[in-house]
Structures are given as C-alpha cells and as structure tokens.
Amino acid sequence: MTATDRAVELVHAAARAASDKLATDLLAFDVSEQLAITDAFLLASASNERQVKAVVDEVEDKLREIGAKPVRREGERDGRWVLIDYGDVVVHVQHEEERRFYALERLWRDCPTIGLPADVTGPPSAPSAPASDA
C-alpha cells in the first residue's frame, strides 16, 4: 500500500504553504506501510517560535482552502514542535533545535520519501555571474 493521491495532494499543498513562510528542510515520508493511522508525514523546520506559528497558520489556511480540516493539533502553546493531524497526513513543524534533537527523519528513514514540488525544493538561485570587460 502507498500513500493515497489525496494524501500526496495534502503533502504538496502543506509543503508549499510551509515554504511560503520560509520553513526549511522540508521532507515528506510515505508511512502508510508502517502506520495504519496515517499515510504520510511532512517535516518542516523553523528558526524560532514565531516562525513555527506562522508556518502552522499558513499550512492550516492553505489546507482549509482545499477542504482539509485538522483532526487535532498538539504543541501550539510552546511553539517548539507543532503537530497537525489531518488523518491522511500529519504535519510536523519543528523549531530547528527540536528537529536536530528528535531527528524524525532518522526514525522514518526506511520509509519511502514523497517527492515535493520543484517550487518547494528547487535549488537556491545561483549568484549572478560577474560582468566581463570584453
């Protein structure tokens, strides 16, 4: 069994929303073979508590626009690691320190990753080449 098309759609929308609020280290796993309760995890990092909240708010807004409502949300008060459960997808927005400490990507490394859209994972823009004197 693999993640459903709806789960992948939600992962892509959540990743775009997180990226819009400058979340980093976005990574998605298909956990459908390992867990019966969800199909996918999306991991995102933020540099401070305010940014964690901004990422969470944007993810919820964008997913609401496509008809997804969270089943539950945990950790919002502390702003260090917020988990948003959409049933098919669980979004983890973590402060960078929590991300390094808990290292969820190591825990789920045996699960297949879900490719994220190029506008989320694309390479950083290359510095412009210096002008030549020719």
Side-chain angles (χ1 to χ4, degrees), residues 67-118:
K69 293 184 198 174
V71 176
R72 67 187 171 122
R73 182 183 329 129
E74 296 180 9
E76 191 166 32
R77 185 178 2 205
D78 296 329
R80 304 282 297 179
W81 179 356
V82 179
L83 176 149
I84 317 165
D85 182 353
Y86 286 93
D88 293 337
V89 173
V90 176
V91 179
H92 298 267
V93 182
Q94 297 176 293
H95 188 286
E96 291 169 347
E97 293 170 2
E98 271 66 13
R99 178 80 179 263
R100 283 191 301 273
F101 183 79
Y102 290 102
L104 294 179
E105 53 270 37
R106 282 198 319 251
L107 181 63
W108 298 104
R109 70 177 169 233
D110 292 336
C111 295
T113 57
I114 296 173
L116 298 176

Side-chain angles (χ1 to χ4, degrees), residues 16-89:
R16 282 191 177 103
S19 179
D20 287 349
K21 291 300 178 180
L22 306 179
T24 59
D25 299 324
L26 290 136
L27 186 59
F29 289 101
D30 180 339
V31 295
S32 61
E33 291 287 326
Q34 304 297 322
L35 298 174
I37 57 172
T38 192
D39 282 351
F41 282 167
L42 175 66
L43 311 179
S45 296
S47 60
N48 59 57
E49 290 85 354
R50 188 181 318 176
Q51 187 184 16
V52 168
K53 181 172 178 7
V55 170
V56 167
D57 289 347
E58 187 71 6
V59 167
E60 287 184 330
D61 288 348
K62 295 301 181 189
L63 268 56
R64 189 177 309 109
E65 289 176 9
I66 60 172
K69 293 184 198 174
V71 176
R72 67 187 171 122
R73 182 183 329 129
E74 296 180 9
E76 191 166 32
R77 185 178 2 205
D78 296 329
R80 304 282 297 179
W81 179 356
V82 179
L83 176 149
I84 317 165
D85 182 353
Y86 286 93
D88 293 337
V89 173

